[in-house]
Amino acid sequence: SSGVNAEYGGQLEQAKEVLSPFLEVSSFVEKEKKKDPRITVSDLDDDLLEKENLLAEIISEKNGNVKKLHGEGHTVRIVHVNKTNRYAVIQLSPEVRKTISESGDKLFLKLKHHVVRNRFYVVQCYHCQRFGHVAGSVYCPNKDKPATCAFCAGKHDTRQCQAKKANEINKMNCVNCEKGGSKEDKRHAKSHPASSSLCPFYVNARAKLMETTCGITQEEKNQYVTRAREDLKSKRLGRWAH
């Protein structure tokens, strides 16, 4: 006997119906394992920025519900510290993230409360401006071609863009929306650079990260996408009004 592996665009039942007269059809669907959530904590004191272990210890010791869960083996791990901008990125188990959310998205550190927010790191290539890989990666489709500017979509490095340096907003043009988007995206292209967090391509990339993060609901993702679209539309209409 022989076997056939087929990918059928997610329409499993239709595939079974088509193939069953000819083959013994079986299926195994493995869900992608979701990642533990991450948060950003800002406005940190110098000693917490210098000593990551101290920060993790204080988070666990000064917040009762977190302390209980950490004692049961749940994760509180410092992923990254930015001393310049005074923030830290922390990876948590879903249970710890939930208890922080139930406490108003605040952590008590030393003598004050710090508001936390979800952290979704969207990877963007600053050579071609596409998402999902970094500059210099073998996955960059334009790695052997000139760089594309994030500000005006010209064939030069964004740091060398004269229009950007002169703040010539009328020359702003998102290459992703201009070349790869829908008609609606193309209408937005002149309203933002490719590096904007309101760009539909950025929003889609972030939404996918939300889908693969534990504890993020479909409603939260939908609310984020809707809000970003409304903000981009307002920005575009506001620009036209001037």
Side-chain angles (χ1 to χ4, degrees):
S1 63
S2 61
V4 177
N5 291 327
E7 294 186 9
Y8 205 75
Q11 297 178 327
L12 185 58
E13 294 306 317
Q14 291 92 325
K16 284 183 178 181
E17 185 176 347
V18 171
L19 296 174
S20 57
F22 311 102
L23 301 169
E24 181 179 347
V25 179
S26 62
S27 63
F28 178 73
V29 179
E30 182 178 357
K31 291 185 178 179
E32 180 180 0
K33 184 178 179 181
K34 291 195 172 186
K35 303 175 182 66
D36 281 348
R38 294 183 176 188
I39 59 172
T40 299
V41 185
S42 303
D43 193 27
L44 295 174
D45 292 339
D46 289 339
D47 56 341
L48 297 181
L49 292 167
E50 294 293 338
K51 300 178 181 178
E52 296 181 16
N53 290 339
L54 177 61
L55 175 58
E57 181 181 327
I58 289 179
I59 288 173
S60 299
E61 289 296 320
K62 298 295 183 179
N63 299 272
N65 292 338
V66 176
K67 181 178 180 179
K68 179 177 182 295
L69 290 169
H70 193 219
E72 295 172 357
H74 291 282
T75 306
V76 177
R77 184 169 70 87
I78 310 303
V79 176
H80 174 69
V81 171
N82 187 309
K83 295 179 181 178
T84 303
N85 296 314
R86 311 184 68 80
Y87 71 82
V89 178
I90 305 166
Q91 183 169 303
L92 311 163
S93 68
E95 292 81 3
V96 175
R97 180 66 186 98
K98 182 180 178 182
T99 196
I100 293 173
S101 178
E102 291 171 347
S103 300
D105 273 336
K106 294 180 181 179
L107 283 173
F108 186 74
L109 304 177
K110 299 178 73 174
L111 299 177
K112 61 181 179 180
H113 283 95
H114 294 252
V115 176
V116 308
R117 55 186 175 85
N118 288 320
R119 172 80 172 188
F120 302 102
Y121 183 61
V122 177
V123 176
Q124 183 174 17
C125 173
Y126 295 116
H127 184 78
C128 72
Q129 305 308 327
R130 298 185 188 182
F131 294 93
H133 64 272
V134 296
S137 167
V138 295
Y139 299 107
C140 178
N142 296 346
K143 61 181 180 297
D144 298 322
K145 300 177 182 179
T148 299
C149 178
F151 186 82
C152 71
K155 292 302 178 183
H156 53 259
D157 189 288
T158 306
R159 292 168 294 186
Q160 299 170 351
C161 182
Q162 298 304 311
K164 183 176 186 293
K165 290 178 180 179
N167 197 30
E168 296 180 88
I169 303 299
N170 61 311
K171 293 184 179 180
M172 189 163 56
N173 188 26
C174 173
V175 65
N176 291 322
C177 289
E178 179 66 30
K179 292 187 175 181
S182 63
K183 290 183 178 179
E184 181 68 16
D185 290 336
K186 291 181 187 299
R187 284 196 288 269
H188 290 312
K190 301 290 185 181
S191 69
H192 64 276
S195 56
S196 171
S197 60
L198 293 180
C199 174
F201 284 81
Y202 174 94
V203 172
N204 288 340
R206 188 178 189 272
K208 288 179 181 178
L209 289 178
M210 296 178 77
E211 288 178 351
T212 58
T213 300
C214 288
I216 302 298
T217 65
Q218 186 70 24
E219 182 181 3
E220 286 178 297
K221 189 202 78 169
N222 291 342
Q223 288 176 348
Y224 159 71
V225 172
T226 298
R227 185 170 61 251
R229 288 175 178 171
E230 290 174 349
D231 289 346
L232 180 59
K233 184 178 179 181
S234 297
K235 183 178 180 181
R236 176 169 63 91
L237 292 177
R239 185 180 169 195
W240 284 357
H242 293 83

